[in-house]
Amino acid sequence: MQMTSQIDAGGNNPIFLMFHGYGNDESEMVRILDAVYAPTRADAAPAAIAVPSYISFRATYARPYMGGNYWYPDGCGVDERQRECAAVGDAVASLLDASAFAHRRKILIGFSQGGYLSYRLVKAHPTLFDAAILLSPSFMGEEQAALDSPTRFFLAYGAQDRTIPLPDQQTAHQVLERAGHLTYREYSGMAHAICDEEIADIRHFLHAV
């Protein structure tokens, strides 16, 4: 797996495991995390801003002609999606088995395909991750899913998102709400994207976990 990382090896701050959306690459999630950790007016001084530790992964497949990458083919069946996610999940779990990560909080962040992948990682490894931030994922085919995990979830969509069908959004909300530990947000005027209000809400969510 290809990735980019920034890790304070001697620290005990959380480590973020990040997964981008269809047609993008690992830099997408780094930009999102940089925005979450950017100084705000409420910060006392720049020195008070923590530097996050992260591993941002590049998706398994390169997209021909158009560039970018994807975790599973667009429009593929549920079984194929789950198989592809399971293979990535096993690789990530193996990586996190290193002693350097043993006592650190582990937080998933994924956008779109990467959001669904993050959910499947929790599904397969229900006690491994402390929190998961799912941004505009599709939960197609997960209508009957049951999730038994203490992981805390942040789930968010744009009210104008036409990329993810509304029933798949509703499925995500229902599955995670049944599991408990869910913070849900919807943003008026936002499509399949990220907005400033969402970044602020992610920041608040992280303070709570």
Side-chain angles (χ1 to χ4, degrees):
M1 294 180 68
Q2 296 188 62
M3 64 195 78
T4 185
S5 63
Q6 172 180 277
I7 300 174
D8 179 4
N12 60 359
N13 58 330
I15 182 161
F16 292 91
L17 296 310
M18 307 195 298
F19 306 92
H20 64 79
Y22 182 87
N24 218 306
D25 61 28
E26 63 274 23
S27 65
E28 174 184 49
M29 303 312 297
V30 175
R31 292 193 297 271
I32 292 173
L33 191 63
D34 284 346
V36 170
Y37 273 78
T40 67
R41 292 181 180 179
D43 294 317
I49 303 301
V51 176
S53 290
Y54 64 79
I55 303 174
S56 187
F57 297 90
R58 179 181 299 179
T60 313
Y61 301 102
R63 191 168 64 148
Y65 313 119
M66 299 296 290
N69 306 272
Y70 59 92
W71 299 102
Y72 45 82
D74 192 26
C76 71
V78 175
D79 289 346
E80 184 175 357
R81 293 173 75 189
Q82 293 182 353
R83 282 196 305 271
E84 295 290 354
C85 291
V88 174
D90 289 346
V92 172
S94 178
L95 174 65
L96 294 177
D97 196 41
S99 58
F101 302 126
H103 302 294
R104 299 179 77 152
R105 288 181 295 152
K106 302 168 185 69
I107 300 175
L108 299 162
I109 306 182
F111 177 76
S112 197
Q113 278 197 353
Y116 177 73
L117 172 58
S118 297
Y119 154 72
R120 292 301 305 183
L121 263 66
V122 177
K123 179 83 171 164
H125 306 276
T127 62
L128 183 56
F129 304 101
D130 297 275
I133 298 169
L134 313 185
L135 309 175
S136 307
S138 172
F139 269 43
M140 182 182 66
E142 299 288 334
E143 291 83 0
Q144 305 305 316
L147 179 64
D148 183 11
S149 170
T151 301
R152 298 180 65 175
F153 283 92
F154 178 93
L155 174 67
Y157 290 102
Q160 304 304 315
D161 191 338
R162 301 294 180 259
T163 300
I164 307 300
L166 183 58
D168 296 340
Q169 298 181 33
Q170 293 169 337
T171 296
H173 193 177
Q174 292 162 4
V175 168
L176 299 180
E177 192 167 53
R178 288 196 300 265
H181 317 296
L182 173 64
T183 298
Y184 177 76
R185 297 288 184 269
E186 182 177 288
Y187 302 98
S188 62
M190 190 178 85
H192 195 61
I194 303 290
C195 68
D196 290 342
E197 185 181 356
E198 186 174 19
I199 291 296
D201 286 342
I202 294 170
R203 188 180 297 123
H204 294 152
F205 174 77
L206 291 173
H207 285 326
V209 299

